[in-house]
Amino acid sequence: MVFGWFKKKKDDNASLHYDPANIKINQLVKGAFLDFDLKTWEVKAVYEYDWGDNYFSDEFQLSTADETLYLHVEEDDEIACTLSEKINIHLIEGDIAEYIIRTDSPPMKVVYEGETFFRQSENIGYFRNVDNDMWSELISWSYYDKDQKKVLNIERWGEQDFEASVGRIAQEFEFTNIIMP
């Protein structure tokens, strides 16, 4: 079309609808700021997980000048949050990656820094950074401590690539003063 440049360019943020006075944690976008644990954090990246059956969850990479955390948010009847940091999988007792490769299954319990975590779930899904449309397949195993307050996740990306993270259950009210870009 010759006069296509007269058309108004589609606003990529036009589909973002939220009440600025009541922003929910699952509405965060890259560049947003929020307060948590007496620090101001910036959302550096937004990730999406597709677990199948029309069930999705989001993960937000939060950073300060000297720290990076990952806020995983799921919404079913209510919002559930976990806050984690990446760890070296080799810090989990035993050779977990080798065990999973050899048995094609993770152990029922793992020990990290002297604390025992028990496997609660296994999820097969897809992951993407929302900045692009490249999806990657993964298997994720979630482990919880006996009090169900701490969480340890092991993710398998392909045959021999593994990642691990450890953190805790968080409540939405712990994140305040959300400022959208």
Side-chain angles (χ1 to χ4, degrees), residues 4 14 17 34 41 56 63 72 83 87 97 108 114 121 127 136 144 147-148 153-154 162 172:
H17 299 287
L34 61 118
W41 300 79
F56 297 87
S63 293
H72 192 92
L83 194 61
I87 61 168
M108 291 303 292
S121 65
F127 162 91
S136 300
Y144 289 85
D147 298 326
Q148 299 279 308
N153 285 303
I154 299 172
F162 292 88
E172 185 177 10

Side-chain angles (χ1 to χ4, degrees), residues 121-172:
S121 65
E122 173 181 277
N123 295 295
I124 299 171
Y126 293 90
F127 162 91
R128 76 175 179 118
N129 182 326
V130 298
D131 287 342
N132 62 53
D133 255 348
M134 295 181 58
W135 290 90
S136 300
E137 189 173 5
L138 79 146
I139 302 174
S140 176
W141 297 282
S142 295
Y143 293 80
Y144 289 85
D145 70 337
K146 65 179 174 151
D147 298 326
Q148 299 279 308
K149 293 182 180 178
K150 295 180 183 174
V151 62
L152 185 144
N153 285 303
I154 299 172
E155 296 173 344
R156 184 176 190 176
W157 304 83
E159 280 300 309
Q160 298 189 7
D161 293 329
F162 292 88
E163 290 183 4
S165 62
V166 67
R168 68 175 183 85
I169 304 298
Q171 302 299 319
E172 185 177 10

Side-chain angles (χ1 to χ4, degrees), residues 20-35:
N22 189 28
I23 300 168
K24 302 285 185 202
I25 198 74
N26 61 338
Q27 296 171 319
L28 291 173
V29 296
K30 187 175 178 179
F33 290 89
L34 61 118
D35 290 342

Side-chain angles (χ1 to χ4, degrees), residues 65-131:
D66 61 347
E67 200 172 354
T68 298
L69 296 175
Y70 294 87
L71 173 62
H72 192 92
V73 179
E74 297 181 27
E75 185 175 8
D76 200 358
D77 292 334
E78 57 186 51
I79 293 177
C81 305
T82 58
L83 194 61
S84 303
E85 62 183 330
K86 302 266 185 211
I87 61 168
N88 186 323
I89 194 166
H90 300 296
L91 296 177
I92 301 170
E93 287 184 20
D95 191 342
I96 299 302
E98 188 276 329
Y99 180 89
I100 294 171
I101 291 169
R102 182 172 37 83
T103 65
D104 206 30
S105 179
M108 291 303 292
K109 65 181 181 177
V110 296
V111 177
Y112 173 72
E113 293 188 341
E115 188 157 13
T116 303
F117 292 82
F118 303 91
R119 191 173 81 195
Q120 184 168 327
S121 65
E122 173 181 277
N123 295 295
I124 299 171
Y126 293 90
F127 162 91
R128 76 175 179 118
N129 182 326
V130 298
D131 287 342

